Amino acid sequence: MLKVGDHRELQAAVLALKVMNRDLSKDIRRATVQTMNPVWREEVNSRARSETDRLIIAKGARIAGGNPPKAVAASSRRKLSGGLVPVESWAGFEFGSERDRIRSYRRRNRSGSGTHRVTRHTMRQLPARTPKGRVGYAAFAEVGPRMVSLWISLIVKKTHDAFEGK
């Protein structure tokens, strides 16, 4: 993931927003959200493959205005029909699970006369394991650099316009 603390240029942009006129920084944050929200939502929605992905991850996709702005997905707190709360349980659907996990145990026969060994394949309800993410993380890897570039250019343009008196 992209971190502001790792890049001096982004730190400079954050500091510039902190020291500038409050109205100008508010205008920049508003323009950032307005221009980035459609791009972020479109990218997340295009990567959501199933209805479950759309309900859990893509439904809450938005840009949270701030300094720096944050790309948010899977932020819904409303329970789904089965009781799952997306903001609490999104990781399994984003990163998947080891689908071929095998669990063996012993159980008693139906007649109760003895036991036998049972082998089950578990965790097949979730998508296959993807360490770098399937929907939100993959979308940010694609669109993140564009969004950072857009944010910096918005800061420069709005600041320039303010100096020009526009």
Side-chain angles (χ1 to χ4, degrees):
M1 294 301 332
L2 193 62
K3 294 182 182 176
V4 171
D6 295 343
H7 304 281
R8 294 176 56 98
E9 297 85 0
L10 294 179
Q11 287 176 348
V14 168
L15 291 174
L17 275 177
K18 283 184 179 181
V19 298
M20 70 176 47
N21 182 352
R22 175 177 257 175
D23 293 333
L24 180 59
S25 64
K26 188 166 106 177
D27 188 34
I28 290 171
R29 285 192 301 272
R30 186 178 298 123
T32 300
V33 171
Q34 286 175 350
T35 55
M36 288 185 192
N37 249 341
V39 174
W40 173 239
R41 285 184 178 146
E42 181 183 333
E43 190 66 33
V44 172
N45 285 326
S46 72
R47 293 180 183 278
R49 296 181 190 110
S50 66
E51 187 61 26
T52 307
D53 288 344
R54 282 184 273 289
L55 287 173
I56 295 173
I57 299 171
K59 192 171 186 180
R62 63 186 170 84
I63 296 294
N67 186 18
K70 295 169 188 68
V72 179
S75 63
S76 176
R77 296 188 181 279
R78 181 175 289 174
K79 288 183 181 179
L80 299 178
S81 62
L84 182 127
V85 180
V87 75
E88 296 171 359
S89 306
W90 62 271
F93 294 92
E94 175 69 27
F95 299 108
S97 71
E98 296 177 20
R99 297 182 71 160
D100 292 331
R101 186 177 296 167
I102 298 173
R103 182 171 175 237
S104 297
Y105 56 93
R106 297 195 68 76
R107 73 174 177 196
R108 186 170 295 278
N109 292 340
R110 290 183 184 180
S111 63
S113 62
T115 61
H116 61 274
R117 186 169 189 76
V118 178
T119 302
R120 297 277 187 249
H121 294 270
T122 59
M123 302 303 283
R124 289 206 172 157
Q125 301 91 344
L126 297 174
R129 181 85 176 137
T130 308
K132 292 187 178 184
R134 297 178 323 102
V135 183
Y137 276 64
F140 191 78
E142 180 71 30
V143 79
R146 278 182 30 213
M147 288 173 35
V148 170
S149 174
L150 177 65
W151 183 56
I152 298 297
S153 64
L154 271 171
I155 292 172
V156 170
K157 182 185 181 312
K158 294 284 186 181
T159 306
H160 181 267
D161 289 348
F163 282 129
E164 293 288 322
K166 295 180 183 178

